[in-house]
Amino acid sequence: MVVIRGATTIAADTKEEIQRAVGELLEQIVSRNSLIKGEVMSIVFSSTSDIHSYYPAKAAREAGFSSCSLFSAQEPDIEGGLKLCIRAMLFVEKDIRPSHVYLGGARVLRKDIAEKYNIAIDGPAGSGKSTVAKRLAKDLNILYLDTGAMYRACALKALQSGVDLESEEQICDLMRTLSLDIEYEGGVQKTILDGKDVSDAIRSPEVSMAASSVSKYASVRMKMVEKQREIAGRMSCVLDGRDIGTFVLPEADFKFFLTASPEVRAKRRFDELVAKGLNVDFEECKRELTRRDVQDSTRAIAPLKRADDAVEVDTSSLGIEEVIDLVKRKMQEKI
Ligand code: DC
């Protein structure tokens, strides 16, 4: 006997949609495993607690699984869990290597059998990009790539070398000697510059401003973009930045553009720096953010801009859980 797993999401909690989704899931399981319906001994379904309109087991019976035992149960309401999801477990009288089937939004439940995908999250400083990107990567069990950290590392190198940030030539020369590595420790990104872990050193306000300055040069951008594309080409990941959806990965599977009011963004950045023990002034934080916004969105190459096909989310009055829920819902709708 083998056990075959499957799951799917439904677009709405209606009887017709449950019948459609269960029918499609079972059809796919049967065809991908070369089964005949009579070989299925029993099917156990569970559905998320937001599904009330119909029993998946009844839908299975109607789909022609009339000779096996069927059972449906409801799952607890787990925070951060996938919404409107039906899972199935089929017990089959056969000796085969099972092919599990995950359809619709449920594909994210099994990244190991789903194809590679990339999520682009762009937006200005303080819009909540990195918080959302980190959480998404954790929930979906995929890599998080903080592209801002890469530009910050270039800026730190420029500051340490004492070159003129406004001289494209000097910065371009410096880039030839740059050794930048992105490593992961317990799922957390470490930025290694010339062999040294600079993950904390790149977070100062001085480096933020310098990163915005050096990132306008083609020599810097092309070097960083090449690295970003290489990583994203190898594995599923969430990338956050300014130009991911427009320039780095215009074909990204999912694109989001986060915004928030300047007040809210400045407050977030201020709180973040204070929490790190830095002595900062709120008004100065706000001025720096505005200067960076202008510089990042007016540069000639790959400026900060919403991609036409990105979903815009204003996070000003939303909590992290609300943003994550919304982003996951939009992803589910798109799959
Ligand atoms: O996201 P961040 O605040 O860590 O980014 C620092 C600076 O790096 C930002 O002001 C502009 C630049 N940057 C960029 O030009 N493109 C990216 N994809 C990410 C960051």
mmCIF file of all heavy atoms in Angstrom, residues 22-23 25-26 29-30 37 39-46 54-73 86-92:
data_model
loop_
_atom_site.group_PDB
_atom_site.id
_atom_site.type_symbol
_atom_site.label_atom_id
_atom_site.label_comp_id
_atom_site.label_asym_id
_atom_site.label_seq_id
_atom_site.Cartn_x
_atom_site.Cartn_y
_atom_site.Cartn_z
ATOM 1 N N VAL A 22 -11.815 19.794 -5.495
ATOM 2 C CA VAL A 22 -11.600 18.405 -5.071
ATOM 3 C C VAL A 22 -11.568 17.498 -6.302
ATOM 4 O O VAL A 22 -10.698 16.623 -6.427
ATOM 5 C CB VAL A 22 -12.703 17.975 -4.066
ATOM 6 C CG1 VAL A 22 -12.674 16.459 -3.843
ATOM 7 C CG2 VAL A 22 -12.528 18.708 -2.740
ATOM 8 N N GLY A 23 -12.483 17.727 -7.232
ATOM 9 C CA GLY A 23 -12.524 16.934 -8.467
ATOM 10 C C GLY A 23 -11.211 17.045 -9.219
ATOM 11 O O GLY A 23 -10.625 16.037 -9.629
ATOM 12 N N LEU A 25 -8.216 17.999 -8.065
ATOM 13 C CA LEU A 25 -7.107 17.427 -7.285
ATOM 14 C C LEU A 25 -7.081 15.904 -7.444
ATOM 15 O O LEU A 25 -6.029 15.313 -7.720
ATOM 16 C CB LEU A 25 -7.242 17.836 -5.807
ATOM 17 C CG LEU A 25 -6.174 17.292 -4.871
ATOM 18 C CD1 LEU A 25 -4.815 17.892 -5.198
ATOM 19 C CD2 LEU A 25 -6.510 17.581 -3.405
ATOM 20 N N LEU A 26 -8.251 15.269 -7.287
ATOM 21 C CA LEU A 26 -8.289 13.805 -7.361
ATOM 22 C C LEU A 26 -7.982 13.312 -8.780
ATOM 23 O O LEU A 26 -7.275 12.323 -8.954
ATOM 24 C CB LEU A 26 -9.645 13.286 -6.864
ATOM 25 C CG LEU A 26 -9.920 13.569 -5.374
ATOM 26 C CD1 LEU A 26 -11.297 13.066 -4.970
ATOM 27 C CD2 LEU A 26 -8.847 12.956 -4.470
ATOM 28 N N ILE A 29 -4.275 13.478 -9.176
ATOM 29 C CA ILE A 29 -3.576 12.435 -8.410
ATOM 30 C C ILE A 29 -3.698 11.100 -9.139
ATOM 31 O O ILE A 29 -2.723 10.360 -9.297
ATOM 32 C CB ILE A 29 -4.130 12.346 -6.964
ATOM 33 C CG1 ILE A 29 -3.761 13.622 -6.186
ATOM 34 C CG2 ILE A 29 -3.589 11.117 -6.243
ATOM 35 C CD1 ILE A 29 -4.295 13.700 -4.770
ATOM 36 N N VAL A 30 -4.903 10.817 -9.604
ATOM 37 C CA VAL A 30 -5.151 9.560 -10.306
ATOM 38 C C VAL A 30 -4.312 9.492 -11.588
ATOM 39 O O VAL A 30 -3.626 8.506 -11.847
ATOM 40 C CB VAL A 30 -6.673 9.426 -10.618
ATOM 41 C CG1 VAL A 30 -6.921 8.375 -11.683
ATOM 42 C CG2 VAL A 30 -7.422 9.060 -9.345
ATOM 43 N N LYS A 37 -9.650 4.430 -10.265
ATOM 44 C CA LYS A 37 -10.314 4.870 -9.037
ATOM 45 C C LYS A 37 -10.521 3.727 -8.032
ATOM 46 O O LYS A 37 -10.425 3.923 -6.828
ATOM 47 C CB LYS A 37 -11.639 5.545 -9.386
ATOM 48 C CG LYS A 37 -11.418 6.947 -9.962
ATOM 49 C CD LYS A 37 -12.696 7.620 -10.354
ATOM 50 C CE LYS A 37 -12.374 8.960 -11.012
ATOM 51 N NZ LYS A 37 -13.501 9.556 -11.704
ATOM 52 N N GLU A 39 -8.624 1.441 -7.209
ATOM 53 C CA GLU A 39 -7.430 1.094 -6.420
ATOM 54 C C GLU A 39 -7.284 1.974 -5.178
ATOM 55 O O GLU A 39 -6.442 1.725 -4.329
ATOM 56 C CB GLU A 39 -6.179 1.257 -7.309
ATOM 57 C CG GLU A 39 -6.060 0.151 -8.340
ATOM 58 C CD GLU A 39 -5.003 0.441 -9.402
ATOM 59 O OE1 GLU A 39 -4.751 1.633 -9.703
ATOM 60 O OE2 GLU A 39 -4.436 -0.509 -9.944
ATOM 61 N N VAL A 40 -8.100 3.020 -5.109
ATOM 62 C CA VAL A 40 -8.025 3.917 -3.940
ATOM 63 C C VAL A 40 -8.890 3.321 -2.830
ATOM 64 O O VAL A 40 -10.106 3.176 -2.965
ATOM 65 C CB VAL A 40 -8.516 5.345 -4.309
ATOM 66 C CG1 VAL A 40 -8.426 6.271 -3.100
ATOM 67 C CG2 VAL A 40 -7.698 5.902 -5.470
ATOM 68 N N MET A 41 -8.243 2.951 -1.714
ATOM 69 C CA MET A 41 -8.973 2.305 -0.618
ATOM 70 C C MET A 41 -9.702 3.315 0.253
ATOM 71 O O MET A 41 -10.820 3.097 0.693
ATOM 72 C CB MET A 41 -7.984 1.544 0.284
ATOM 73 C CG MET A 41 -7.376 0.331 -0.356
ATOM 74 S SD MET A 41 -5.791 -0.033 0.393
ATOM 75 C CE MET A 41 -6.261 -0.242 2.106
ATOM 76 N N SER A 42 -9.012 4.409 0.503
ATOM 77 C CA SER A 42 -9.681 5.411 1.331
ATOM 78 C C SER A 42 -9.017 6.778 1.165
ATOM 79 O O SER A 42 -7.832 6.863 0.783
ATOM 80 C CB SER A 42 -9.691 4.929 2.792
ATOM 81 O OG SER A 42 -8.772 5.596 3.544
ATOM 82 N N ILE A 43 -9.789 7.819 1.389
ATOM 83 C CA ILE A 43 -9.249 9.193 1.277
ATOM 84 C C ILE A 43 -9.643 9.959 2.534
ATOM 85 O O ILE A 43 -10.814 9.975 2.940
ATOM 86 C CB ILE A 43 -9.810 9.957 0.054
ATOM 87 C CG1 ILE A 43 -9.731 9.110 -1.225
ATOM 88 C CG2 ILE A 43 -9.067 11.287 -0.138
ATOM 89 C CD1 ILE A 43 -10.345 9.788 -2.457
ATOM 90 N N VAL A 44 -8.634 10.578 3.125
ATOM 91 C CA VAL A 44 -8.875 11.430 4.293
ATOM 92 C C VAL A 44 -8.637 12.868 3.860
ATOM 93 O O VAL A 44 -7.584 13.178 3.294
ATOM 94 C CB VAL A 44 -7.906 11.065 5.448
ATOM 95 C CG1 VAL A 44 -8.098 12.010 6.620
ATOM 96 C CG2 VAL A 44 -8.104 9.624 5.871
ATOM 97 N N PHE A 45 -9.606 13.731 4.109
ATOM 98 C CA PHE A 45 -9.464 15.144 3.760
ATOM 99 C C PHE A 45 -9.383 15.981 5.031
ATOM 100 O O PHE A 45 -10.030 15.661 6.039
ATOM 101 C CB PHE A 45 -10.709 15.652 3.013
ATOM 102 C CG PHE A 45 -10.844 15.135 1.614
ATOM 103 C CD1 PHE A 45 -11.685 14.060 1.347
ATOM 104 C CD2 PHE A 45 -10.166 15.735 0.566
ATOM 105 C CE1 PHE A 45 -11.832 13.590 0.058
ATOM 106 C CE2 PHE A 45 -10.311 15.272 -0.730
ATOM 107 C CZ PHE A 45 -11.146 14.189 -0.990
ATOM 108 N N SER A 46 -8.646 17.051 4.960
ATOM 109 C CA SER A 46 -8.789 18.069 6.008
ATOM 110 C C SER A 46 -8.888 19.404 5.292
ATOM 111 O O SER A 46 -8.300 19.580 4.215
ATOM 112 C CB SER A 46 -7.602 18.047 6.973
ATOM 113 O OG SER A 46 -6.454 18.552 6.355
ATOM 114 N N TYR A 54 -19.093 22.989 2.143
ATOM 115 C CA TYR A 54 -19.339 21.632 1.646
ATOM 116 C C TYR A 54 -18.297 20.678 2.199
ATOM 117 O O TYR A 54 -17.183 21.092 2.533
ATOM 118 C CB TYR A 54 -19.256 21.640 0.113
ATOM 119 C CG TYR A 54 -20.141 20.613 -0.553
ATOM 120 C CD1 TYR A 54 -21.517 20.595 -0.341
ATOM 121 C CD2 TYR A 54 -19.599 19.651 -1.413
ATOM 122 C CE1 TYR A 54 -22.320 19.643 -0.964
ATOM 123 C CE2 TYR A 54 -20.403 18.711 -2.046
ATOM 124 C CZ TYR A 54 -21.758 18.710 -1.808
ATOM 125 O OH TYR A 54 -22.556 17.782 -2.426
ATOM 126 N N TYR A 55 -18.643 19.391 2.265
ATOM 127 C CA TYR A 55 -17.684 18.379 2.706
ATOM 128 C C TYR A 55 -16.821 17.955 1.511
ATOM 129 O O TYR A 55 -17.363 17.484 0.502
ATOM 130 C CB TYR A 55 -18.409 17.127 3.195
ATOM 131 C CG TYR A 55 -19.165 17.293 4.486
ATOM 132 C CD1 TYR A 55 -20.554 17.246 4.493
ATOM 133 C CD2 TYR A 55 -18.494 17.455 5.699
ATOM 134 C CE1 TYR A 55 -21.261 17.371 5.670
ATOM 135 C CE2 TYR A 55 -19.195 17.589 6.885
ATOM 136 C CZ TYR A 55 -20.579 17.541 6.864
ATOM 137 O OH TYR A 55 -21.263 17.672 8.021
ATOM 138 N N PRO A 56 -15.496 18.062 1.611
ATOM 139 C CA PRO A 56 -14.651 17.558 0.523
ATOM 140 C C PRO A 56 -14.927 16.074 0.239
ATOM 141 O O PRO A 56 -14.904 15.635 -0.906
ATOM 142 C CB PRO A 56 -13.234 17.782 1.052
ATOM 143 C CG PRO A 56 -13.365 18.916 2.001
ATOM 144 C CD PRO A 56 -14.705 18.750 2.648
ATOM 145 N N ALA A 57 -15.243 15.300 1.316
ATOM 146 C CA ALA A 57 -15.505 13.872 1.119
ATOM 147 C C ALA A 57 -16.729 13.661 0.230
ATOM 148 O O ALA A 57 -16.752 12.767 -0.622
ATOM 149 C CB ALA A 57 -15.706 13.190 2.469
ATOM 150 N N LYS A 58 -17.732 14.514 0.414
ATOM 151 C CA LYS A 58 -18.936 14.399 -0.401
ATOM 152 C C LYS A 58 -18.609 14.741 -1.859
ATOM 153 O O LYS A 58 -19.081 14.080 -2.786
ATOM 154 C CB LYS A 58 -19.998 15.374 0.145
ATOM 155 C CG LYS A 58 -21.394 14.934 -0.156
ATOM 156 C CD LYS A 58 -22.376 15.683 0.728
ATOM 157 C CE LYS A 58 -23.781 15.407 0.243
ATOM 158 N NZ LYS A 58 -24.745 16.281 0.874
ATOM 159 N N ALA A 59 -17.761 15.762 -2.025
ATOM 160 C CA ALA A 59 -17.349 16.152 -3.389
ATOM 161 C C ALA A 59 -16.590 15.001 -4.052
ATOM 162 O O ALA A 59 -16.723 14.768 -5.249
ATOM 163 C CB ALA A 59 -16.492 17.404 -3.327
ATOM 164 N N ALA A 60 -15.801 14.264 -3.245
ATOM 165 C CA ALA A 60 -15.037 13.133 -3.791
ATOM 166 C C ALA A 60 -15.992 12.026 -4.226
ATOM 167 O O ALA A 60 -15.816 11.421 -5.286
ATOM 168 C CB ALA A 60 -14.064 12.616 -2.741
ATOM 169 N N ARG A 61 -16.982 11.767 -3.394
ATOM 170 C CA ARG A 61 -17.982 10.742 -3.734
ATOM 171 C C ARG A 61 -18.611 11.119 -5.081
ATOM 172 O O ARG A 61 -18.745 10.282 -5.975
ATOM 173 C CB ARG A 61 -19.025 10.716 -2.606
ATOM 174 C CG ARG A 61 -20.144 9.764 -2.781
ATOM 175 C CD ARG A 61 -19.980 8.376 -2.141
ATOM 176 N NE ARG A 61 -19.645 8.312 -0.732
ATOM 177 C CZ ARG A 61 -18.726 7.497 -0.232
ATOM 178 N NH1 ARG A 61 -18.023 6.725 -1.048
ATOM 179 N NH2 ARG A 61 -18.490 7.455 1.055
ATOM 180 N N GLU A 62 -18.981 12.374 -5.214
ATOM 181 C CA GLU A 62 -19.632 12.837 -6.455
ATOM 182 C C GLU A 62 -18.674 12.776 -7.652
ATOM 183 O O GLU A 62 -19.108 12.699 -8.791
ATOM 184 C CB GLU A 62 -20.144 14.270 -6.287
ATOM 185 C CG GLU A 62 -21.340 14.338 -5.344
ATOM 186 C CD GLU A 62 -21.563 15.719 -4.739
ATOM 187 O OE1 GLU A 62 -20.811 16.663 -5.080
ATOM 188 O OE2 GLU A 62 -22.475 15.850 -3.916
ATOM 189 N N ALA A 63 -17.369 12.835 -7.354
ATOM 190 C CA ALA A 63 -16.389 12.788 -8.446
ATOM 191 C C ALA A 63 -16.083 11.349 -8.870
ATOM 192 O O ALA A 63 -15.160 11.118 -9.644
ATOM 193 C CB ALA A 63 -15.112 13.506 -8.016
ATOM 194 N N GLY A 64 -16.802 10.404 -8.298
ATOM 195 C CA GLY A 64 -16.661 9.021 -8.748
ATOM 196 C C GLY A 64 -15.903 8.108 -7.799
ATOM 197 O O GLY A 64 -15.645 6.957 -8.126
ATOM 198 N N PHE A 65 -15.523 8.610 -6.633
ATOM 199 C CA PHE A 65 -14.818 7.762 -5.667
ATOM 200 C C PHE A 65 -15.859 7.161 -4.724
ATOM 201 O O PHE A 65 -15.939 7.493 -3.547
ATOM 202 C CB PHE A 65 -13.748 8.581 -4.915
ATOM 203 C CG PHE A 65 -12.621 8.995 -5.804
ATOM 204 C CD1 PHE A 65 -12.742 10.114 -6.624
ATOM 205 C CD2 PHE A 65 -11.462 8.241 -5.873
ATOM 206 C CE1 PHE A 65 -11.723 10.479 -7.483
ATOM 207 C CE2 PHE A 65 -10.437 8.602 -6.740
ATOM 208 C CZ PHE A 65 -10.563 9.721 -7.541
ATOM 209 N N SER A 66 -16.669 6.295 -5.279
ATOM 210 C CA SER A 66 -17.819 5.830 -4.512
ATOM 211 C C SER A 66 -17.553 4.536 -3.746
ATOM 212 O O SER A 66 -18.246 4.233 -2.797
ATOM 213 C CB SER A 66 -19.014 5.657 -5.451
ATOM 214 O OG SER A 66 -18.581 4.999 -6.617
ATOM 215 N N SER A 67 -16.480 3.800 -4.143
ATOM 216 C CA SER A 67 -16.308 2.506 -3.478
ATOM 217 C C SER A 67 -15.271 2.556 -2.351
ATOM 218 O O SER A 67 -15.004 1.548 -1.719
ATOM 219 C CB SER A 67 -15.914 1.445 -4.511
ATOM 220 O OG SER A 67 -14.701 1.849 -5.123
ATOM 221 N N CYS A 68 -14.666 3.713 -2.099
ATOM 222 C CA CYS A 68 -13.666 3.779 -1.021
ATOM 223 C C CYS A 68 -14.245 4.501 0.194
ATOM 224 O O CYS A 68 -15.246 5.205 0.085
ATOM 225 C CB CYS A 68 -12.394 4.447 -1.505
ATOM 226 S SG CYS A 68 -12.597 6.151 -1.971
ATOM 227 N N SER A 69 -13.567 4.346 1.337
ATOM 228 C CA SER A 69 -14.068 5.048 2.518
ATOM 229 C C SER A 69 -13.523 6.477 2.508
ATOM 230 O O SER A 69 -12.354 6.718 2.172
ATOM 231 C CB SER A 69 -13.659 4.314 3.800
ATOM 232 O OG SER A 69 -12.261 4.185 3.834
ATOM 233 N N LEU A 70 -14.368 7.401 2.858
ATOM 234 C CA LEU A 70 -14.016 8.826 2.775
ATOM 235 C C LEU A 70 -14.249 9.500 4.110
ATOM 236 O O LEU A 70 -15.170 9.138 4.849
ATOM 237 C CB LEU A 70 -14.896 9.502 1.708
ATOM 238 C CG LEU A 70 -14.716 8.977 0.288
ATOM 239 C CD1 LEU A 70 -15.923 9.305 -0.565
ATOM 240 C CD2 LEU A 70 -13.469 9.578 -0.327
ATOM 241 N N PHE A 71 -13.422 10.466 4.396
ATOM 242 C CA PHE A 71 -13.560 11.153 5.680
ATOM 243 C C PHE A 71 -13.064 12.606 5.532
ATOM 244 O O PHE A 71 -12.058 12.849 4.881
ATOM 245 C CB PHE A 71 -12.700 10.425 6.730
ATOM 246 C CG PHE A 71 -12.758 11.037 8.101
ATOM 247 C CD1 PHE A 71 -13.869 10.822 8.917
ATOM 248 C CD2 PHE A 71 -11.709 11.815 8.580
ATOM 249 C CE1 PHE A 71 -13.925 11.389 10.194
ATOM 250 C CE2 PHE A 71 -11.760 12.383 9.848
ATOM 251 C CZ PHE A 71 -12.870 12.159 10.655
ATOM 252 N N SER A 72 -13.786 13.553 6.111
ATOM 253 C CA SER A 72 -13.329 14.965 6.109
ATOM 254 C C SER A 72 -13.214 15.469 7.537
ATOM 255 O O SER A 72 -14.053 15.140 8.374
ATOM 256 C CB SER A 72 -14.329 15.899 5.427
ATOM 257 O OG SER A 72 -14.822 15.381 4.251
ATOM 258 N N ALA A 73 -12.207 16.280 7.790
ATOM 259 C CA ALA A 73 -12.068 16.909 9.110
ATOM 260 C C ALA A 73 -11.645 18.358 8.923
ATOM 261 O O ALA A 73 -11.154 18.730 7.854
ATOM 262 C CB ALA A 73 -11.019 16.171 9.923
ATOM 263 N N ILE A 86 -7.502 22.815 1.054
ATOM 264 C CA ILE A 86 -8.011 21.450 1.291
ATOM 265 C C ILE A 86 -6.855 20.485 1.084
ATOM 266 O O ILE A 86 -6.180 20.510 0.053
ATOM 267 C CB ILE A 86 -9.151 21.101 0.296
ATOM 268 C CG1 ILE A 86 -10.332 22.049 0.495
ATOM 269 C CG2 ILE A 86 -9.598 19.648 0.471
ATOM 270 C CD1 ILE A 86 -11.420 21.920 -0.559
ATOM 271 N N ARG A 87 -6.614 19.643 2.093
ATOM 272 C CA ARG A 87 -5.537 18.656 1.974
ATOM 273 C C ARG A 87 -6.142 17.258 1.867
ATOM 274 O O ARG A 87 -7.206 17.007 2.453
ATOM 275 C CB ARG A 87 -4.632 18.725 3.209
ATOM 276 C CG ARG A 87 -3.842 20.023 3.310
ATOM 277 C CD ARG A 87 -3.198 20.106 4.699
ATOM 278 N NE ARG A 87 -2.228 21.194 4.787
ATOM 279 C CZ ARG A 87 -2.554 22.454 5.098
ATOM 280 N NH1 ARG A 87 -3.797 22.789 5.319
ATOM 281 N NH2 ARG A 87 -1.614 23.384 5.179
ATOM 282 N N ALA A 88 -5.462 16.386 1.171
ATOM 283 C CA ALA A 88 -5.983 15.034 1.017
ATOM 284 C C ALA A 88 -4.874 14.018 1.213
ATOM 285 O O ALA A 88 -3.697 14.302 0.948
ATOM 286 C CB ALA A 88 -6.568 14.865 -0.384
ATOM 287 N N MET A 89 -5.254 12.845 1.728
ATOM 288 C CA MET A 89 -4.307 11.744 1.864
ATOM 289 C C MET A 89 -5.019 10.515 1.297
ATOM 290 O O MET A 89 -6.094 10.153 1.783
ATOM 291 C CB MET A 89 -3.955 11.568 3.340
ATOM 292 C CG MET A 89 -2.807 10.671 3.573
ATOM 293 S SD MET A 89 -1.817 11.259 4.954
ATOM 294 C CE MET A 89 -2.643 10.577 6.308
ATOM 295 N N LEU A 90 -4.448 9.940 0.279
ATOM 296 C CA LEU A 90 -5.078 8.791 -0.373
ATOM 297 C C LEU A 90 -4.315 7.513 -0.037
ATOM 298 O O LEU A 90 -3.085 7.467 -0.204
ATOM 299 C CB LEU A 90 -5.059 8.964 -1.905
ATOM 300 C CG LEU A 90 -6.108 9.879 -2.526
ATOM 301 C CD1 LEU A 90 -5.722 11.333 -2.333
ATOM 302 C CD2 LEU A 90 -6.267 9.583 -4.014
ATOM 303 N N PHE A 91 -5.019 6.514 0.435
ATOM 304 C CA PHE A 91 -4.408 5.212 0.707
ATOM 305 C C PHE A 91 -4.724 4.328 -0.490
ATOM 306 O O PHE A 91 -5.900 4.135 -0.820
ATOM 307 C CB PHE A 91 -4.977 4.619 1.994
ATOM 308 C CG PHE A 91 -4.679 5.495 3.191
ATOM 309 C CD1 PHE A 91 -5.517 6.563 3.528
ATOM 310 C CD2 PHE A 91 -3.538 5.268 3.955
ATOM 311 C CE1 PHE A 91 -5.229 7.380 4.609
ATOM 312 C CE2 PHE A 91 -3.254 6.090 5.044
ATOM 313 C CZ PHE A 91 -4.092 7.150 5.376
ATOM 314 N N VAL A 92 -3.667 3.843 -1.122
ATOM 315 C CA VAL A 92 -3.851 3.157 -2.399
ATOM 316 C C VAL A 92 -3.281 1.737 -2.360
ATOM 317 O O VAL A 92 -2.165 1.528 -1.876
ATOM 318 C CB VAL A 92 -3.169 3.973 -3.530
ATOM 319 C CG1 VAL A 92 -3.228 3.244 -4.851
ATOM 320 C CG2 VAL A 92 -3.828 5.338 -3.650
#
